[in-house]
Amino acid sequence: MTPNGGESGRATEAGAAAEMLRSRGMRELGPEEMRRFRRVERIFLEVTAERGHREIRTPTLEPLHLFTAAGTLSPQLLERVYSFLDWDGWSGERVVLRPDGTVPAARWLLEQGDLPPAGDGDPAVRLSYVEPVYRFVPGDGDREQWQAGVEIFGLGAPEGDGDLLELGAALLRALGLAPRVELAHAGILRSALRAAALDSRQQLAAYDRVLDGDGEITEELAAAHPAAATALRLLLEVTGEGTGYVANLRAALLPVLPDSEPALAELAAAAAVLDREGIPYRVLPATARNFEYYTGLTFRALAGEAECLAGGRYDGLTEALGGPAVPASGFGADLLRLADLAPAVSAAGGGSGR
């Protein structure tokens, strides 16, 4: 072995030994990664601030009951949080390392008493944050992620949904990304599951099967609701693009699922926003877990096959935390993933990405 080869081998061994000292799944960033991190963070905060979002930062530790009350932790997700007893003599409470930024933001809003005012004009409270979240994943996956998120409290659908989609489009454009979007509306699928006479527990199970691509659920629902069989197959088996598909979906579903009309109108309004933004999209029956949590539009933006950001509407969140009912929506993104996806900016571009 040459001297250089020996040095390389020793460096590799030293690197492997050092990696073993780090907690599994936790992230650390070197100088080049930090440069890209700060660039994307700066663009995120600039774009969101221009649209009225105020930055906050919430504690790393939060009470476990906040997340169970809000319905954000399904049984599967509950097994993935880092939870322990916050010891205080012989008393204490169960806390978690923050698994998501939305619930802490809503908790902060309620504690500040900074609820959206009633009256004329735009009543919304717009918040943004960049902070780590922690979720256990088996193997060598990332258990620590830097979440860049936005929340809009006090602006209902469809205005709030449009505001959120326009913000997401502006952010991804500033990063040099050309996304495509997957759209869904929890209210449409909820109408179909109610029509099939499923109780709340059965609806949750059916929703997860739809999201997992279980083809048998369509025929089971069609058999339970024969008059709506054609419309259910259109909703669950066919995905389409553009306003024409949304119009066809609305024409097929309204005669058999009349209570889906508000949800279909909100879906059509969201599609119109993406048309104006020039962003291609596909309509799916579902795009997000936590059926109890999401109340309206849900969406994912992808660059290639990689998810850029995801979010939707959760109007029941503040009420679930013990406050008044306030319409709410938002999205989150893995900032390090955005840093990997966003093209490098030349010095001639000014370093802003815009």
Side-chain angles (χ1 to χ4, degrees), residues 61-199:
L61 291 184
E62 292 279 4
L64 173 63
H65 68 79
L66 277 181
F67 294 89
T68 54
T72 57
L73 292 180
S74 65
Q76 297 91 338
L77 289 178
L78 191 57
E79 296 175 356
R80 295 173 53 195
V81 300
Y82 286 88
S83 171
F84 53 93
L85 190 66
D86 188 11
W87 186 252
D88 183 14
W90 291 106
S91 64
E93 68 173 326
R94 182 66 58 177
V95 296
V96 293
L97 293 179
R98 177 184 50 224
D100 184 76
T102 298
V103 172
R107 190 262 312 143
W108 179 88
L109 182 76
L110 293 174
E111 289 185 349
Q112 296 297 311
D114 194 14
L115 295 173
D120 297 333
D122 184 350
V125 172
R126 293 174 169 83
L127 303 175
S128 65
Y129 49 84
V130 177
E131 54 195 19
V133 297
Y134 303 88
R135 302 170 189 165
F136 175 80
V137 293
D140 295 324
D142 291 336
R143 301 173 185 180
E144 178 185 32
Q145 296 181 4
W146 279 86
Q147 186 178 75
V150 297
E151 316 294 341
I152 304 175
F153 294 99
L155 196 59
E159 293 81 9
D161 298 340
D163 190 307
L164 199 62
L165 291 170
E166 290 171 355
L167 174 60
L171 171 63
L172 296 178
R173 277 197 301 268
L175 291 170
L177 297 173
R180 57 186 173 86
V181 170
E182 295 180 345
L183 276 183
H185 197 295
I188 300 173
L189 187 53
R190 192 170 280 117
S191 292
L193 298 179
R194 281 198 304 265
L198 300 186
D199 61 28

Side-chain angles (χ1 to χ4, degrees), residues 268-350:
V273 170
L274 294 177
D275 284 336
R276 291 197 302 271
E277 294 288 337
I279 296 177
Y281 58 90
R282 186 163 59 113
V283 178
L284 303 176
T287 66
R289 298 284 176 186
N290 299 342
F291 188 48
E292 288 180 304
Y293 176 62
Y294 285 103
T295 59
L297 187 80
T298 64
F299 60 90
R300 299 171 66 224
L302 302 102
E305 296 304 313
E307 182 178 289
C308 302
L309 54 84
R313 175 158 296 280
Y314 24 84
D315 286 344
L317 177 56
T318 53
E319 190 172 20
L321 296 180
V326 175
S329 60
F331 65 68
D334 182 338
L335 191 139
L336 294 176
R337 183 180 298 168
L338 288 180
D340 289 338
L341 292 171
V345 177
S346 66

